[in-house]
Amino acid sequence: MLYTVSGVQILAILNAFDELETKLPGGKQRIGQYIAKLQDAESGTFAGDEWGETDTRFLYGAFNALSLLGLMHLIDVERAVDYVNGCKNFDGGYGTSPGAETHAGQIFTCVGALSIAGRLDLVDIDRVGAWLSERQLPNGGLNGRPEKLEDVCYSTLPCIVTSRYNVDILKDSEKGGIADRAGDMVDVFHTVFGVAGLSLIEYAGLEVVDPV
Ligand SMILES: [Zn+2]
């Protein structure tokens, strides 16, 4: 699922769905059907591959790719939305499955999925916003769960709650990229999330990114 979503996103960025159809007739439909087959008919959630591990990450991935492909009708959206709603915890956050601990990553994927489905009315914005605000540490960084270290890949959280955080800690001017936290090795993954986070807090000179 994850690589399929990345592939679909790259095709969308390159505006290359027509080229895909030329080179592989029916390609869009085949991708959509592959994703649709990963939905569990009973619960409505999605597996990451044929081995069957389920996680709200995969559900969001399915929504993301299928909405880019214009193929949301291939899945049971209502059942999937019910599943996401069932993952909501007392703190307003979401986990990987019903009853699972709230995690900032799963808040991102569940709120993203509900946004794609047009069901943000199900989100307890004040409660989840308060929980996300508490993810900010004294050094300005954000963690994904209580008592964890800060990590730049959680910097996309300000899409839900406008948060003041220390922009300088995100930038490693020597290496040119962004690491998970100050002093660590920079990599492409954290550079993407760091730049996206900077865009969401309207850092000067960056294009506006769609948080979904
Ligand atoms: Zn990270």
Side-chain angles (χ1 to χ4, degrees):
M1 177 72 84
L2 299 180
Y3 300 107
T4 302
V5 173
S6 294
V8 169
Q9 288 176 328
I10 292 165
L11 290 170
I13 290 166
L14 297 175
N15 218 355
F17 287 135
D18 287 345
E19 199 180 331
L20 171 72
E21 285 298 312
T22 309
K23 290 187 174 157
L24 182 70
K28 272 175 70 174
Q29 195 71 21
R30 282 166 65 179
I31 295 170
Q33 277 163 357
Y34 169 76
I35 293 171
K37 271 198 201 131
L38 292 172
Q39 185 174 29
D40 181 66
E42 203 176 315
S43 70
T45 194
F46 283 79
D49 55 34
E50 62 180 312
W51 306 111
E53 182 199 356
T54 61
D55 187 319
T56 43
R57 278 183 302 159
F58 303 134
L59 187 154
Y60 164 72
F63 274 33
N64 185 308
L66 291 173
S67 64
L68 289 172
L69 290 163
L71 295 174
M72 287 290 281
H73 60 273
L74 294 181
I75 57 167
D76 189 336
V77 175
E78 205 174 322
R79 206 173 275 265
V81 165
D82 285 346
Y83 185 87
V84 171
N85 204 36
C87 294
K88 184 155 78 173
N89 290 319
F90 69 92
D91 50 23
Y94 299 83
T96 56
S97 56
E101 176 192 13
T102 292
H103 190 296
Q106 268 65 34
I107 292 176
F108 178 81
T109 58
C110 289
V111 172
L114 292 173
S115 176
I116 291 168
R119 292 306 310 274
L120 285 178
D121 60 292
L122 296 171
V123 179
D124 189 338
I125 294 190
D126 288 342
R127 206 172 273 257
V128 74
W131 189 88
L132 288 171
S133 301
E134 289 171 357
R135 302 285 60 76
Q136 186 167 39
L137 301 173
N139 66 10
L142 297 157
N143 64 15
R145 282 180 289 168
E147 304 303 322
K148 295 283 187 176
L149 290 174
E150 74 280 9
D151 187 328
V152 162
C153 53
Y154 301 116
S155 64
T156 44
L157 298 175
C159 67
I160 299 165
V161 69
T162 306
S163 185
R164 167 200 61 82
Y165 70 119
N166 185 349
V167 165
D168 292 330
I169 205 166
L170 301 178
K171 299 181 297 181
D172 187 326
S173 53
E174 258 177 56
K175 300 192 187 93
I178 296 173
D180 56 351
R181 63 186 65 89
D184 282 0
M185 182 68 80
V186 300
D187 62 51
V188 171
F189 180 83
H190 290 89
T191 301
V192 168
F193 281 103
V195 172
L198 290 172
S199 169
L200 289 168
I201 57 169
E202 298 172 352
Y203 189 74
L206 293 178
E207 289 201 24
V208 177
V209 72
D210 176 347
V212 175

